[in-house]
């Protein structure tokens, strides 16, 4: 049997919504990814697709979820009242948001509780802060894996698990195409980390400098990994005009991924002979 195609989705916070047209392209071609690997928001979108949600259903869910600021705040308040502690008391100790409570407030209620229960093989990538080593979650509690993968330092609390202090996988593997292709399948990889132009158009502000430096580092890591094991196709949606926090521009961010989605569709159709749909 010919090999199927794996899918790798990068981190990028709100920019990660541009991954959705990539999932839709797989759907249009009738191709079920051999494995989906994701980092941070890429892990969240990847887990939804691995759960059996179509790209169209993910699009509708995201747009509805972030249509109104009041609805978002209501969800956060319900999560807080529901026994979870969403906001940490100290900004200096471990961040401000509890990732598990955050995910439980926004993810669909019918997601399988464990990764191995997902219809499509899935891996979420995090990093052990104490050792710098990548941690790949291909089994175990899904919420825990996603919480670790989205734990952006200084914004979201790390996840402590089995003696490890887990943070956002972008610190070591922002676009885990090597993880997606570990079984030898060709990989379609989507990079939504991008770059960011200072609003002033000139010297960046201190905040822009910190964010921009982190993005440059992640891009350097991705280029190095891609040079060693190139993905079969790398697409980069035009998302530079959006920030990490443009969640309320979800529809626009998704639209920015449409061209990349068409590129993926063309690739899958052109290589239909090597694709084995499940």
């Amino acid at each position: 049997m010919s090999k199927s195609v794996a899918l790798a989705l990068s981190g990028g916070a709100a920019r990660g919504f541009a991954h959705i047209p990539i999932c839709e392209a797989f759907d249009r071609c009738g191709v079920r990814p051999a494995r989906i690997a994701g980092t941070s928001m890429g892990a969240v979108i990847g887990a939804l697709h691995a759960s059996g949600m179509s790209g169209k259903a993910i699009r509708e869910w995201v747009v509805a979820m972030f249509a109104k600021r009041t609805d978002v705040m209501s969800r956060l308040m319900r999560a807080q009242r529901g026994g979870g502690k969403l906001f940490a008391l100290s900004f200096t100790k471990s961040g401000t948001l509890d990732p598990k409570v955050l995910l439980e407030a926004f993810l669909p209620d019918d997601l399988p509780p464990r990764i191995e229960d997902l219809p499509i093989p899935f891996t979420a990538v995090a990093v052990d802060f104490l050792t710098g080593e990548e941690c790949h979650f291909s089994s175990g509690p899904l919420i825990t894996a996603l919480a670790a993968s989205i734990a952006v330092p200084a914004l979201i609390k790390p996840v402590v698990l089995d003696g490890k202090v887990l943070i956002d996988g972008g610190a070591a593997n922002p676009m885990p195409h090597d993880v997606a292709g570990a079984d030898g399948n060709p990989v379609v990889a989507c990079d939504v980390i991008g770059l960011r132009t200072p609003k002033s158009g000139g010297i960046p502000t201190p905040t822009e400098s910190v964010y921009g430096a982190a993005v440059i580092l992640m891009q350097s890591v991705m280029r190095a990994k891609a040079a060693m094991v190139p993905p079969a196709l790398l697409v980069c949606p035009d998302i530079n005009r959006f920030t990490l926090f443009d969640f309320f521009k979800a529809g626009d961010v998704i639209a920015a991924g449409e061209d990349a989605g068409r590129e993926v569709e063309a690739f899958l159709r052109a290589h239909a002979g090597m694709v084995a749909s499940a």
Side-chain angles (χ1 to χ4, degrees), residues 5-8 32-37 120-123 138 179-183 185:
V5 177
L7 177 60
R32 172 174 166 168
R35 176 175 295 278
I36 300 175
I120 296 175
F122 170 74
T123 303
S138 300
V179 178
D183 298 325
N185 296 292

